[in-house]
Amino acid sequence: MQRLTIFFPVWALLASILAVYFPAPLSELKPGIVPLLGLVMFCMGLSLTLNDFTRALRRRGVILLGLCLQFLLMPLLAWGLASVLQLSLMLTVGLVLVGTCPGGTASNVICYLSGGDTALSISLTTFSTLASVILTPLLTYLYVGQQIPVPVVDMLWSIARIILLPVTFGLLLNHYLGTRLWVLRGVFPLLSVLAIVLIIAIIVALNHQHLAELAVPLMLAVILHNLLGLTLAYVICRTLRLDEAT
């Protein structure tokens, strides 16, 4: 099962190709996206303990560093790439908005599958979402002079029902029934992979008509934004002598 999990990028790519050529049946599964995300977070909770979160929340310096990388590094990279690649104002605003948005469920999934500090990742998602209520519109306005509405209540409800509640339920189940679930522990990562691959396929299917319209500079900007963000953040953390899982 671990081998199947390792090939997650391959399954995601194959699912995306399938969604482009057969979008109709996958598009009909759109209502399943939120439950699937909840399932993924529940599986993560089953692999965590209360001590994991206690330890993560005690690391205030690491959480602060994560927030700084999220809201200082990523918007700056987005604005710089948009300027270098001479993107239109609309695309520049979109890219900067991506850079100023908080981390989400997908980041938690990738951290979980790659053996990172999942409790820290979920904690960062929670804190960055709370901070984004103020920082996302402020940074977007500072970089591109555009004001954007922030649906605060919807964001908080979303993080509660998609992340916090499923993770808490899984964590409590692991706390009280952990020994009985031991034989199934290897299944949870694979179940998470299948769920997230299906989510990717659904999203690609819903947007397949727009994929052909994407300009090469925009695709390049998105790839570089992720690549530079991940690389620079990794280098900074290693320079500060943080451990590999962090």
Side-chain angles (χ1 to χ4, degrees):
M1 288 189 182
Q2 187 176 3
R3 291 182 179 179
L4 293 173
T5 304
I6 290 173
F7 286 101
F8 164 70
V10 177
W11 312 138
L13 180 60
L14 291 175
S16 300
I17 294 172
L18 185 67
V20 170
Y21 287 100
F22 304 99
L26 288 166
S27 298
E28 294 178 0
L29 299 177
K30 180 182 177 181
I33 291 178
V34 171
L36 284 169
L37 287 172
L39 173 63
V40 172
M41 300 309 295
F42 170 70
C43 288
M44 278 191 236
L46 286 169
S47 68
L48 298 170
T49 66
L50 291 171
N51 288 335
D52 292 329
F53 282 98
T54 301
R55 178 178 49 80
L57 293 174
R58 284 176 179 167
R59 304 173 69 191
R60 296 184 184 88
V62 175
I63 289 176
L64 181 61
L65 174 62
L67 292 175
C68 288
L69 291 172
Q70 176 70 61
F71 292 111
L72 295 179
L73 178 64
M74 297 309 289
L76 180 61
L77 286 175
W79 178 80
L81 287 168
S83 301
V84 171
L85 297 172
Q86 298 182 335
L87 298 182
S88 66
L89 177 60
M90 181 180 69
L91 295 181
T92 298
V93 171
L95 192 64
V96 169
L97 187 57
V98 169
T100 61
C101 280
T105 310
S107 67
N108 304 145
V109 173
I110 301 303
C111 182
Y112 171 58
L113 295 177
S114 60
D117 190 333
T118 308
L120 177 61
S121 178
I122 294 172
S123 301
L124 282 172
T125 295
T126 304
F127 283 111
S128 64
T129 300
L130 294 173
S132 71
V133 172
I134 296 174
L135 293 179
T136 294
L138 176 63
L139 289 169
T140 304
Y141 182 76
L142 288 176
Y143 275 103
V144 291
Q146 299 289 321
Q147 293 183 335
I148 59 163
V150 178
V152 179
V153 176
D154 288 343
M155 287 174 61
L156 296 180
W157 170 236
S158 177
I159 192 174
R161 69 189 175 113
I162 296 178
I163 298 178
L164 298 182
L165 289 177
V167 167
T168 301
F169 184 54
L171 187 148
L172 292 174
L173 205 61
N174 183 39
H175 180 73
Y176 291 106
L177 300 175
T179 53
R180 298 181 184 179
L181 295 173
W182 186 84
V183 291
L184 298 174
R185 204 164 295 276
V187 177
F188 298 139
L190 180 59
L191 194 59
S192 297
V193 167
L194 294 175
I196 204 70
V197 165
L198 182 55
I199 291 169
I200 292 170
I202 295 170
I203 293 173
V204 171
L206 290 170
N207 295 278
H208 77 283
Q209 292 180 331
H210 303 293
L211 295 178
E213 302 171 5
L214 293 179
V216 173
L218 177 60
M219 294 175 66
L220 183 61
V222 171
I223 292 170
L224 288 174
H225 188 228
N226 282 275
L227 187 61
L228 290 172
L230 289 167
T231 303
L232 290 174
Y234 183 85
V235 169
I236 290 170
C237 290
R238 292 302 284 175
T239 302
L240 294 174
R241 297 185 178 180
L242 296 179
D243 61 276
E244 191 76 11
T246 302

